[in-house]
Amino acid sequence: MPLPAALAHVDTWIFDLDQTLYPHEAEVMALIEGKMTAFVARETGLSQPDAYALQKSYLFEHGTTLAGLMAHHGVEPRRFLDEVHDVSLDTLVPDPELNAMVASMKGRRIVFTNGDEPHAVRILEKLEMTALFDGVFHLEHANYIPKPNLLTFELMMKAHIVDPNTAAFFEDSPKNLKPACELGMKTILVGPKADGNTDPWVHFRDLNLKSFLRNHLG
C-alpha cells in the first residue's frame, strides 16, 4: 500500500518510546506510575491518594512528574529516574511483524522520549528494536526539560538535523503532538487516546503503531 499523499514527502520518522513502540496494554507505564506515586508520597509526606493527585498535577503543568518535583522540591533527577524505571519488563514481547514494518520505512528513524537513556536502552533491547533506529533523543539530552516544551523539540531537531517540514512524529499523547504540528511535522496519534480525539493538530489517528503501519505503510 503506498504512503498517504500527506506522508509521501517524509524522510525522517520520529517515534515516542513508551506506549508508542509497544502497546498500552503492556502496562509498563502503570508500573512506573505506581513507583512515581510512592516516590512523591515519600518525598512530600502526602497520603497515596494525595501524592497521586500531585503527581498528575505536575505531569499536566510541567510535562513530567520529575519536572514538577525538580521545580518545587529540588529533587535530583537521577535518584528519581533510577527508582521509578526499576520495573519488570516481562510483559514486553518483541513483535517481529512490527519490527519488519519499522525496518521497511524509508528514511531515518529516531526515538524521541521523555524517558532517560538507561530506560530507552532497556526498552529497545527488550523489544529487539535497537538496530532499527538511527538515534535516540532522551531526557538528559534535553537537560531534563520534557516534551511538549518547544525548546526540547528544537534541541532534538538540532541534534539530529531534522527538517520538521519533512518529518512525521508518532506519539500516544495528544499534547506532545501540538508543538510538532506547529513546527511543520505531520503528526500521528496512536493508542487509546486516539479514539474520539478531535485535536486539530493531529493529522492521523490509530489504535496502535502496528495498525497504522499495516494500514498505511504496509
Side-chain angles (χ1 to χ4, degrees):
M1 185 179 297
L3 278 169
L7 295 175
H9 67 296
V10 172
D11 60 19
T12 303
W13 304 95
I14 303 168
F15 299 80
D16 174 48
L17 180 71
D18 289 302
Q19 301 188 134
T20 296
L21 292 182
Y22 61 83
H24 177 272
E25 293 75 20
E27 297 193 337
V28 172
M29 283 305 299
L31 297 177
I32 292 173
E33 287 179 357
K35 291 230 172 186
M36 287 183 182
T37 301
F39 186 101
V40 172
R42 190 176 69 248
E43 200 71 21
T44 63
L46 293 172
S47 66
Q48 288 285 319
D50 288 344
Y52 179 78
L54 183 62
Q55 171 195 335
K56 292 302 181 184
S57 171
Y58 285 165
L59 176 64
F60 178 78
E61 294 173 9
H62 297 273
T64 60
T65 300
L66 172 59
L69 288 170
M70 291 173 67
H72 298 288
H73 305 274
V75 167
E76 194 280 317
R78 188 75 270 144
R79 180 166 65 91
F80 174 85
L81 291 166
D82 287 346
E83 179 172 329
V84 303
H85 287 151
D86 184 19
V87 298
S88 170
L89 300 184
D90 288 348
T91 57
L92 292 187
V93 179
D95 185 334
E97 182 184 4
L98 173 61
N99 291 2
M101 290 177 183
V102 173
S104 71
M105 298 173 76
K106 295 180 180 179
R108 293 187 302 153
R109 300 180 292 273
I110 298 167
V111 172
F112 181 22
T113 176
N114 276 345
D116 65 353
E117 181 178 21
H119 178 67
V121 167
R122 189 170 175 236
I123 294 288
L124 292 173
E125 286 181 349
K126 187 69 165 64
L127 295 173
E128 298 180 1
M129 299 183 98
T130 305
L132 301 180
F133 296 98
D134 299 285
V136 177
F137 189 91
H138 51 71
L139 196 57
E140 291 98 329
H141 289 145
N143 300 314
Y144 299 102
I145 301 171
K147 299 175 287 184
N149 192 294
L150 183 61
L151 173 61
T152 299
F153 279 80
E154 291 172 345
L155 289 171
M156 181 275 295
M157 292 188 298
K158 182 178 180 180
H160 292 281
I161 316 176
V162 173
D163 178 354
N165 295 304
T166 59
F169 185 30
F170 295 89
E171 253 278 2
D172 70 305
S173 174
K175 69 178 182 180
N176 289 342
L177 290 174
K178 186 175 182 180
C181 176
E182 291 171 349
L183 287 164
M185 297 182 193
K186 292 301 179 183
T187 59
I188 305 102
L189 178 64
V190 297
K193 293 179 181 177
D195 186 21
N197 176 271
T198 58
D199 291 324
W201 57 84
V202 176
H203 301 125
F204 296 91
R205 301 166 181 83
D206 214 313
L207 293 178
N208 54 62
L209 175 63
K210 186 175 181 178
S211 175
F212 179 86
L213 295 183
R214 182 188 292 124
N215 292 332
H216 296 288
L217 304 178

